[in-house]
Amino acid sequence: MTPDPAESPSEGPPPSEDRSRGDRPGDDAGADASHGGPGEASPPAERAESPQAAEPAGTPESEASPAPAASAAAAPPPGATPSTATTRSAESPPPVSGWRRFFRLTLPGCWGALILACLSFTPSLLPRGGVLQGLICGISAAIGYGLGVVLAFIWRAFADRGPRRAARTSWYVLLVCAVLLFGLFFALGQYWQHEIRQLMGVTDFNVHTAVACPFAAALVFWLLLFAGRGIRGVYRWVARLLGRWIGERAATAVGWLLVAGLVWSAFTGLLLNGLVTAANESFSVRDTQTPEGVHQPETSLRSGGPDSLVPWNSLGREGRAFIGSGPTERDIGAFTHRPAQEPIRAYAGLVTSDDTETRAARAVADLKRAGGFERENLLVTTTTGSGWVDPAAVDTFEYLSDGDSATVAIQYSYLPSWLSYLVDQSKARAAGRELFDAVYDTWSKLPQDQRPRLFVAGESLGSFGGEAAFSGEYDLRNRTAGALFAGPPNFNTLFREFSDHREAGSPEIEPVYKEGRTVRFTDDPATGMPPKDRPWDGTRVLYLMHPSDPIVWWSPSLALSEPDWIGQAPGGDVLEEMVWLPFVTFWQITADLPFSTGVPDGHGHKYKAAYVEGWNAVMRPTGFTTQDLDRLEDIIWPGR
């Protein structure tokens, strides 16, 4: 059969002859040609000349378009003219030009986009601003559109027919439902966000960003849709090119594989590696700076000071901040009203050595030079991101030990925490393992009665590195006097082992592992660590984790499976209305990650004041009353 003269050469044969292209998974362009938008009508010539103009708009294409052979054999109806023969060959409207097709939408896809866009307003862990909510809504709508197209394709495959034009009434129904449902869920979303802000004591609210939410969502949706259709266009071009040498099905399969591989390589190789390289260069320059108010120490008890084995200019920005701050002997004595010592701090930056093992050895050598192994308490802490050590964790440790303490850490990256969280996991693991092993090698050679109490700490990615030196509960119990891990990422090996093998009946937000004999979990150590009725002797390992901390709960598995922490009773700062939704919940928690510290202390990824009660439980110091701990919380986190 010859092509319709009205078609452009680049548009191929009419839909009735190229049904396979419109039936490919994710191929909504074929559906675009038969799922016109509201108000779309057939061309005047077709309405005037073709008897099919009287057929309902929803007539299946397979019924309205007989095979070419059958059309040729069938006698023309009375009154038919040669000019109408081509018109009767297909019910679908004339093919749409390339740019118009780029903006066309399918009815199943729009329903999917509407449903997921509405569900994106359901609450997650943290309060969201209007622009962030628009981002989540747009991503969810794009995913819903793709799911709608794919499900429509699968249904047509089982029905053994091609796509058909949607009735104009169906588009009107969609439009009415979109206005009503989106308006309802938008209002509910504002109410849920207000409730979350109330739970966390957040008072900031910007009505302008709330109004901008639908517009931001629309922009994100169209950008993602255009990106997807651009990729699909590349696939079609590759498939047509391959079709010159191999069969159509083989060209289709190979084309998808090639394009998928190209997109994956571009994202992980060109884009991701380029972003990491650019960020690494940018933050390496920042690493040469010194924070305001920080000065090189004049005491030999700190790295970078007199006689130090680690030069001051090699510590890095965060290393200099760590070494040049913290409580002094006078500060600690003023708090305890007892004799105190000047705490020891040792640190090695990235510039110190390119090799992690050598860097750890240099830090431990400087620790030994300063007399760190002669103190009562020794802390090995793994940094986060660019070498940052949470001052609240180390300062509290030093106050509760009357300054009779030493702390050692090393830097393993230039990148900030959120980016290191994605790309520097292996470096964090190596840093935690090498540093502890170097400390333990020296510590274990000391006479038992001369060894300091050995503690381990880490927050966020630092907890991941801190765990890396140990094989399990017994290893932690045998080689340390205690450990305090705050905000552990969901991929932490030991954290997942302890949580996944918790006692039956204990919730995931506060699991009980082996009767709590060594490892315990809490969101507020001031209220106790379950199980409260069982002894906690010997080494104490404590995990601090808030129910609203997205870093603790984020996992790729959220996209397709419901975690226990959502199905069970929520924590004190999580709404009961929060439910798990495929794809939607994953993007909601993902969007919460960059803002995990933008909430008041005690929520999200903020653990400042909790370190006081946490270290008090792990270290078990003597001579501190409840009032003393309250005063220390005010020192560690003033104005909380």
Side-chain angles (χ1 to χ4, degrees):
M1 181 175 177
T2 59
D4 193 321
E7 294 176 359
S8 167
S10 63
E11 292 170 348
S16 59
E17 294 187 67
D18 191 15
R19 202 172 297 167
S20 61
R21 187 173 69 178
D23 280 351
R24 289 171 185 154
D27 186 2
D28 62 334
D32 288 346
S34 56
H35 289 184
E40 179 181 283
S42 299
E46 184 177 346
R47 292 200 303 267
E49 300 178 19
S50 173
Q52 286 185 346
E55 295 179 10
T59 305
E61 186 181 71
S62 57
E63 296 176 6
S65 304
S71 299
T81 63
S83 62
T84 63
T86 306
T87 308
R88 294 206 49 187
S89 65
E91 181 200 352
S92 301
V96 183
S97 62
W99 281 108
R100 285 188 60 194
R101 178 180 299 174
F102 218 62
F103 286 89
R104 297 291 292 274
L105 298 173
T106 68
L107 185 65
C110 288
W111 275 109
L114 173 62
I115 293 173
L116 261 67
C118 291
L119 293 178
S120 71
F121 287 98
T122 56
S124 62
L125 296 176
L126 302 178
R128 299 193 294 264
V131 175
L132 179 60
Q133 178 60 62
L135 174 66
I136 299 172
C137 182
I139 293 175
S140 299
I143 294 174
Y145 184 87
L147 289 175
V149 171
V150 170
L151 291 177
F153 161 78
I154 295 174
W155 185 88
R156 290 196 305 269
F158 279 100
D160 193 24
R161 69 165 184 79
R164 63 185 181 184
R165 182 190 309 166
R168 185 181 303 176
T169 305
S170 300
W171 286 102
Y172 289 149
V173 170
L174 171 67
L175 182 61
V176 172
C177 290
V179 173
L180 295 178
L181 289 177
F182 193 87
L184 173 63
F185 274 87
F186 180 81
L188 287 173
Q190 299 306 309
Y191 167 75
W192 286 324
Q193 291 302 309
H194 171 75
E195 292 296 300
I196 296 176
R197 290 194 296 271
Q198 289 287 101
L199 283 177
M200 297 187 178
V202 177
T203 57
D204 294 338
F205 176 72
N206 191 324
V207 66
H208 298 97
T209 59
V211 173
C213 171
F215 302 97
L219 176 62
V220 172
F221 170 77
W222 280 106
L223 288 176
L224 292 176
L225 188 64
F226 289 161
R229 289 180 172 177
I231 295 173
R232 184 190 62 194
V234 174
Y235 147 71
R236 286 178 170 176
W237 177 79
V238 172
R240 283 197 302 268
L241 188 63
L242 292 174
R244 300 176 181 178
W245 298 282
I246 59 179
E248 180 182 358
R249 293 185 177 180
T252 299
V254 174
W256 269 118
L257 291 175
L258 288 176
V259 174
L262 178 64
V263 172
W264 177 257
S265 299
F267 179 77
T268 59
L270 181 62
L271 297 181
L272 185 59
N273 290 342
L275 173 64
V276 172
T277 301
N280 204 52
E281 293 178 356
S282 174
F283 285 102
S284 65
V285 174
R286 181 176 181 268
D287 197 58
T288 61
Q289 303 171 356
T290 300
E292 185 178 355
V294 173
H295 304 284
Q296 184 175 359
E298 298 178 356
T299 173
S300 61
L301 299 179
R302 307 247 171 156
S303 293
D307 302 324
S308 174
L309 302 178
V310 182
W312 171 253
N313 59 6
S314 71
L315 295 178
R317 186 180 192 277
E318 298 299 341
R320 288 188 286 273
F322 168 67
I323 293 298
S325 62
T328 64
E329 176 185 353
R330 179 179 299 179
D331 296 330
I332 298 173
F335 166 71
T336 62
H337 303 293
R338 296 191 296 265
Q341 298 185 52
E342 186 77 18
I344 294 174
R345 292 188 176 188
Y347 192 96
L350 273 174
V351 181
T352 305
S353 173
D354 293 334
D355 178 70
T356 303
E357 183 178 358
T358 305
R359 195 180 314 127
R362 183 73 63 84
V364 173
D366 204 41
L367 174 71
K368 184 177 181 179
R369 174 204 58 81
F373 289 94
E374 300 170 10
R375 293 298 177 97
E376 180 68 22
N377 303 281
L378 175 57
L379 174 62
V380 180
T381 182
T382 305
T383 64
T384 65
S386 56
W388 180 75
V389 179
D390 192 341
V394 179
D395 291 359
T396 302
F397 183 83
E398 293 171 343
Y399 273 108
L400 294 180
S401 61
D402 290 323
D404 192 4
S405 65
T407 304
V408 60
I410 63 173
Q411 181 185 12
Y412 57 82
S413 174
Y414 290 126
L415 302 177
S417 296
W418 68 270
L419 194 51
S420 294
Y421 181 78
L422 299 176
V423 301
D424 275 347
Q425 296 179 20
S426 60
K427 294 181 180 179
R429 182 190 296 111
R433 182 176 58 249
E434 296 293 349
L435 180 59
F436 183 84
D437 288 348
V439 170
Y440 188 79
D441 181 64
T442 301
W443 178 88
S444 62
K445 295 175 182 178
L446 298 173
Q448 290 191 5
D449 60 345
Q450 297 181 19
R451 296 173 181 172
R453 294 197 302 167
L454 184 57
F455 295 91
V456 179
E459 179 178 331
S460 192
L461 196 57
S463 71
F464 173 75
E467 284 187 359
F470 307 96
S471 59
E473 179 206 21
Y474 281 112
D475 201 17
L476 278 164
R477 189 180 187 91
N478 292 335
R479 296 207 290 164
T480 71
L484 182 59
F485 298 125
N490 197 261
F491 54 73
N492 277 22
T493 304
L494 297 187
F495 170 67
R496 284 263 46 96
E497 177 185 337
F498 300 149
S499 182
D500 293 342
H501 295 86
R502 64 186 181 274
E503 293 183 7
S506 64
E508 189 174 10
I509 61 173
E510 208 169 40
V512 175
Y513 178 75
K514 293 188 176 180
E515 300 182 342
R517 63 189 183 188
T518 302
V519 182
R520 297 196 178 188
F521 303 80
T522 185
D523 68 320
D524 184 4
T527 61
M529 286 67 69
K532 301 177 183 178
D533 58 341
R534 298 175 189 174
W536 197 12
D537 302 323
T539 296
R540 292 186 174 186
V541 177
L542 179 61
Y543 282 88
L544 301 176
M545 53 186 203
H546 296 146
S548 59
D549 188 350
I551 290 179
V552 174
W553 309 118
W554 182 88
S555 171
S557 62
L558 280 172
L560 297 174
S561 61
E562 180 182 7
D564 292 342
W565 61 271
I566 291 184
Q568 297 166 347
D573 57 355
V574 176
L575 286 185
E576 294 184 0
E577 290 83 355
M578 183 178 179
V579 296
W580 176 80
L581 299 167
F583 299 107
V584 175
T585 301
F586 170 78
W587 285 112
Q588 286 179 326
I589 305 301
T590 301
D592 285 338
L593 291 174
F595 307 96
S596 59
T597 59
V599 291
D601 188 43
H603 305 284
H605 200 58
K606 280 278 193 72
Y607 295 92
K608 304 298 183 183
Y611 278 118
V612 174
E613 292 287 354
W615 274 125
N616 183 60
V618 172
M619 296 175 66
R620 289 167 283 184
T622 58
F624 293 97
T625 64
T626 302
Q627 291 74 19
D628 292 334
L629 297 179
D630 290 339
R631 287 194 300 116
L632 183 54
E633 287 183 357
D634 292 332
I635 294 174
I636 297 300
W637 193 243
R640 58 189 175 90

